[in-house]
Amino acid sequence: MGALLSAALSGVTGYALAKFEFPGRALVFNSLIAGVLVPAVMLEVPQYLLLAEVGLTDGYLSVLIPSILSPYGIYLARIYAAASVPDDVVEAARTDGAGEARILGSIALPMMLPGLVTVFLFRFGSIWNNFLLPFIMFGDERKAPSPRPLHAAQPGQHGARALHARGDRLAGVRAAPDRPVPAAPAVLADRPAVRRCESMRAT
């Protein structure tokens, strides 16, 4: 849903920036270029603080709303609209009496469809691989989107418990699922485990 809404918003905004003259258009476009240069991870904590002010955290809207706006998607849509929608076609439609909404829906967006599919695929991959935003927004682990449990279920044993188990194996300590992981001083105090670890490193 976030990728679809982002592609639609990018298409409309990109078409407006490419085909309309209005005061501040260059400023808006330069702001989008600056937004492309800002990593998305830097904005996730401020987004949480803003959504917390209006009570939208710990809900699916808290992940959907930040996913809709994509400066890079708008930039791509603007470039594609300028290249694929001829000004002559738009002027001919206006001469025939078509309104701006009719031109956008019947002429511009079908011509921009390949570019919008590209924007959709970019946004889908970005939203799918975004692990930090749901982790920040959701207080309930059961609301986590499907990529997180799928990533944790990979054969590589991702996750905190797997990392603890790897550390136990390196230290020569048997890992049990119902036993808390020992602290570093307790492991270092086990002299046989330290000797086994040193022998493993030597081999």
Side-chain angles (χ1 to χ4, degrees):
M1 184 62 68
L4 285 174
L5 293 176
S6 180
L9 179 63
S10 298
V12 174
T13 309
Y15 172 77
L17 290 173
K19 298 301 177 181
F20 288 94
E21 295 285 346
F22 55 88
R25 185 178 73 162
L27 178 61
V28 173
F29 185 70
N30 293 332
S31 300
L32 288 173
I33 298 298
V36 172
L37 301 177
V38 177
V41 68
M42 293 181 60
L43 303 176
E44 290 176 353
V45 173
Q47 286 170 353
Y48 173 81
L49 297 176
L50 290 174
L51 293 174
E53 291 293 330
V54 294
L56 289 179
T57 56
D58 201 21
Y60 293 112
L61 286 178
S62 63
V63 177
L64 178 62
I65 292 175
S67 303
I68 295 175
L69 182 62
S70 171
Y72 185 62
I74 296 174
Y75 169 75
L76 288 180
R78 190 262 184 192
I79 298 299
Y80 198 83
S84 64
V85 182
D87 294 335
D88 297 339
V89 175
V90 176
E91 291 298 331
R94 290 170 179 168
T95 303
D96 290 340
E100 297 299 335
R102 176 76 179 275
I103 296 173
L104 176 64
S106 301
I107 299 175
L109 290 182
M111 290 182 173
M112 296 170 58
L113 187 59
L116 296 181
V117 171
T118 303
V119 173
F120 169 80
L121 293 177
F122 274 121
R123 291 302 298 153
F124 185 88
S126 177
I127 295 171
W128 180 271
N129 293 319
N130 192 347
F131 294 92
L132 182 59
L133 184 62
F135 182 78
I136 292 175
M137 294 296 181
F138 293 150
D140 189 355
E141 184 68 22
R142 293 173 296 179
K143 294 181 180 179
S146 54
R148 283 181 60 185
L150 289 176
H151 188 269
Q154 287 181 357
Q157 280 191 325
H158 298 280
R161 184 64 218 175
L163 293 177
H164 292 161
R166 290 178 184 177
D168 282 351
R169 287 197 297 271
L170 288 176
V173 181
R174 183 179 178 182
D178 55 347
R179 176 183 58 81
V181 178
V187 175
L188 294 178
D190 188 357
R191 299 308 177 108
V194 173
R195 288 196 295 269
R196 283 194 298 269
C197 196
E198 291 177 351
S199 63
M200 290 172 59
R201 184 171 56 183
T203 57

